[in-house]
Amino acid sequence: MTTLMIRQSTISCALMLAALTAGAQQLAPGNILITPENRLSVKDKDMRNAIRDWSREQLASTNYAKIVAHPSAAVFPGSVDKSAARVTETVSITHNRISDALAPVVATLHYSQPWRNNMYSTGLYAVAGEYIEVTVPESLIGKDVSIQIGAHSDNLTRWVAGGEDWRRMPDIVRVDTVRKKTTRIASPFGGLIYITASPKSDSWTADVKIARAVKAPLFIAGKTTAEQWKQQLAASKAPWGELATDKVILTIPDSILRQVNDPENVLKLWDLIVGGEMELAQIPQPYYRPQRMVIDEHIGGGFMHSGYPIMIHHSPSSRMLSADVIADPAKLMKGSKGGANWGFFHEIGHNMQNNDWVFGGTTEVSCNFFSLYMFDRLLGGRDDAHTGVSNDETQKAMKNYFAEGPAYQKWQQSPFLGLIMFRQLQEAFGWETYKKFFREYQALAIADPSGEYARGDQKKRDLWAKTFSKVSGRNIAPFFEKWGIPISDDVEKELASLPGWMPYNFPPQ
């Protein structure tokens, strides 16, 4: 029997005992067992509210000695092997303040949660119910620096998950602001340990001492050797670890990490993907922080969602499998008709969306510019990229739309129909024109950080037509209006001196 199987067997027995014990006493937020197999129904509102309040209180409590492990933590985020040694390590962390030139550009990337605190990995894990001791230099006190336990920051009391049966405890991440030199904190759920800081706070480099923690696998490209990685995996007793570059950090369960024999190559491919999407968006590289991706049993909504971090469902009980793909991105290099590769490209694309060029109905459209770009540049074409961009679906959608009569409200309700319009522009003027278009918007944000130039849907539509016409040298306002996208009279007049443009056989006959 393997170590992993023994660990799982031990957990199963412990959970069965916990469930029997809980059954013999009154069920309460502190002893309820929530797992993929033992979900908490959306109908049980009283217990869900009680758990929400209990978790909030526990995660804020400074009485670290009274925090105990929650039984659900043994399943998710998972238990630490009982033989794991508690260690004391000093971790050197460098925080760089976002540059004044980049800040107004980043401020427009709303879906990336740009001002969430930067998370700095330590390669250490806090055991559920056990306190850790963190010591920082005096210079970090009052500098908007925090200690975070746990990577799974989606709160299931909100958004889509608020209306679903819970497969894990709803709120399992603890964040404590550094207010003194030495801090003792504990979480009933445990998790990877991070030091965090506001992207806008002053730069610093500091040695942070962390005691009573457990080592967790952390591969840093260009720094960790293949032999060191093998040693880390052999010694690991923690349920989670990370693979990191200056472009991307992947938070992956131990069971999947053990399958990663060549992390350097895995990360090279992820760098290609993230770097390619940033290149299309014309976002300066190196960026102010890596994109983060975190595997989770239950997320706030969707199969994945954008943000910092990008959250990715992995739930075998719900037939959502993605952990193996994130650890082996070569699997993304084949058309999947809207499978995992489209999903990853799509969510990273959300993090690249400049809100100034996202007008009504295009939130789930313009992120797919980046999906298409990745298929073009990494996979060599769009064959089997997604059924929604297939020839048959494209022709069918266009003919039905124009047969019924174009209307902006109707156009807004169909993301793949909306994408056709932008695909026509890309096919006519190329990706380089899109890159010029994105640079124009960045220049606007730098010149006017207030964003007044793109305030409201009409201004956004007008600005789209004006800016793309400027970079392409053709008047696209009539094209927008043919699609049913309203453009103001003033902009029509302003663009009238440019030569017009319309795709051949459009609308399709």
Side-chain angles (χ1 to χ4, degrees), residues 180-473:
K180 53 187 178 180
K181 189 169 182 179
T182 298
T183 306
R184 288 182 172 181
I185 56 173
S187 163
F189 311 108
L192 288 166
I193 302 168
Y194 303 92
I195 302 301
T196 78
S198 167
K200 297 181 180 180
S201 64
D202 291 340
S203 301
W204 50 263
T205 296
D207 288 338
V208 177
K209 181 181 175 184
I210 302 174
R212 295 175 51 84
V214 170
K215 292 278 288 180
L218 174 60
F219 183 94
I220 302 173
K223 181 177 179 181
T224 310
T225 67
E227 185 57 35
Q228 287 172 332
W229 178 242
K230 288 179 183 178
Q231 292 171 359
Q232 286 190 45
L233 290 181
S236 177
K237 309 289 185 181
W240 291 85
E242 295 185 317
L243 307 176
T245 76
D246 61 356
K247 284 190 175 72
V248 63
I249 300 175
L250 312 173
T251 304
I252 305 174
D254 171 74
S255 58
I256 301 297
L257 277 177
R258 291 183 182 279
Q259 301 172 30
V260 181
N261 297 318
D262 191 352
E264 198 77 48
N265 274 333
V266 166
L267 289 170
K268 280 180 182 177
L269 189 44
W270 276 114
D271 273 0
L272 268 177
I273 293 169
V274 172
E277 299 211 18
M278 294 180 74
E279 194 264 343
L280 174 60
Q282 292 293 281
I283 293 173
Q285 300 180 61
Y287 204 36
Y288 72 112
R289 66 186 182 193
Q291 300 288 322
R292 278 188 172 270
M293 299 187 200
V294 175
I295 298 290
D296 199 335
E297 166 62 42
H298 196 168
I299 68 174
F303 177 67
M304 308 178 193
H305 72 70
S306 58
Y308 184 77
I310 294 171
M311 298 300 297
I312 301 150
H313 250 138
H314 180 77
S315 178
S317 67
S318 297
R319 290 184 291 181
M320 286 188 273
L321 306 176
S322 56
D324 57 335
V325 174
I326 202 170
D328 184 9
K331 293 177 180 176
L332 302 178
M333 296 300 106
K334 293 181 180 179
S336 63
K337 298 184 179 180
N341 46 15
W342 184 275
F344 277 103
F345 302 159
H346 172 103
E347 297 304 340
I348 300 169
H350 272 306
N351 277 10
M352 305 297 145
Q353 278 177 307
N354 181 329
N355 196 57
D356 294 340
W357 43 255
V358 179
F359 60 86
T362 64
T363 296
E364 296 299 330
V365 176
S366 53
C367 60
N368 285 327
F369 299 168
F370 302 90
S371 301
L372 294 174
Y373 189 71
M374 287 295 96
F375 274 94
D376 285 355
R377 294 293 179 262
L378 283 186
L379 278 76
R382 303 174 189 179
D383 290 351
D384 294 329
H386 197 294
T387 54
V389 298
S390 68
N391 292 345
D392 287 346
E393 286 299 316
T394 298
Q395 289 299 313
K396 179 181 176 182
M398 290 178 70
K399 288 177 179 177
N400 288 343
Y401 177 70
F402 285 102
E404 295 171 2
Y408 184 41
Q409 186 175 11
K410 186 168 57 176
W411 182 88
Q412 289 176 298
Q413 295 170 357
S414 178
F416 281 105
L417 175 71
L419 186 59
I420 295 171
M421 185 182 86
F422 298 106
R423 286 165 54 199
Q424 289 174 311
L425 291 171
Q426 188 276 321
E427 289 160 5
F429 300 104
W431 286 122
E432 294 307 310
T433 303
Y434 267 82
K435 292 175 189 177
K436 291 178 185 176
F437 173 82
F438 295 146
R439 290 198 297 271
E440 288 290 323
Y441 273 81
Q442 291 177 8
L444 288 169
I446 292 168
D448 181 9
S450 75
E452 185 59 38
Y453 55 87
R455 190 87 65 203
D457 203 60
Q458 184 66 59
K459 278 189 177 181
K460 287 188 177 187
R461 296 194 307 270
D462 286 348
L463 187 60
W464 228 107
K466 280 180 17 177
T467 307
F468 203 91
S469 295
K470 173 184 176 181
V471 297
S472 68

Side-chain angles (χ1 to χ4, degrees), residues 2-42:
T2 66
T3 302
L4 183 59
M5 290 172 66
I6 292 170
R7 188 185 302 180
Q8 290 173 334
S9 177
T10 304
I11 291 171
S12 298
C13 291
L15 291 177
M16 285 175 64
L17 180 59
L20 290 171
T21 304
Q25 60 183 324
Q26 186 176 3
L27 206 58
N31 63 29
I32 191 171
L33 186 64
I34 302 177
T35 72
E37 293 73 33
N38 191 45
R39 306 179 185 198
L40 182 59
S41 171
V42 67

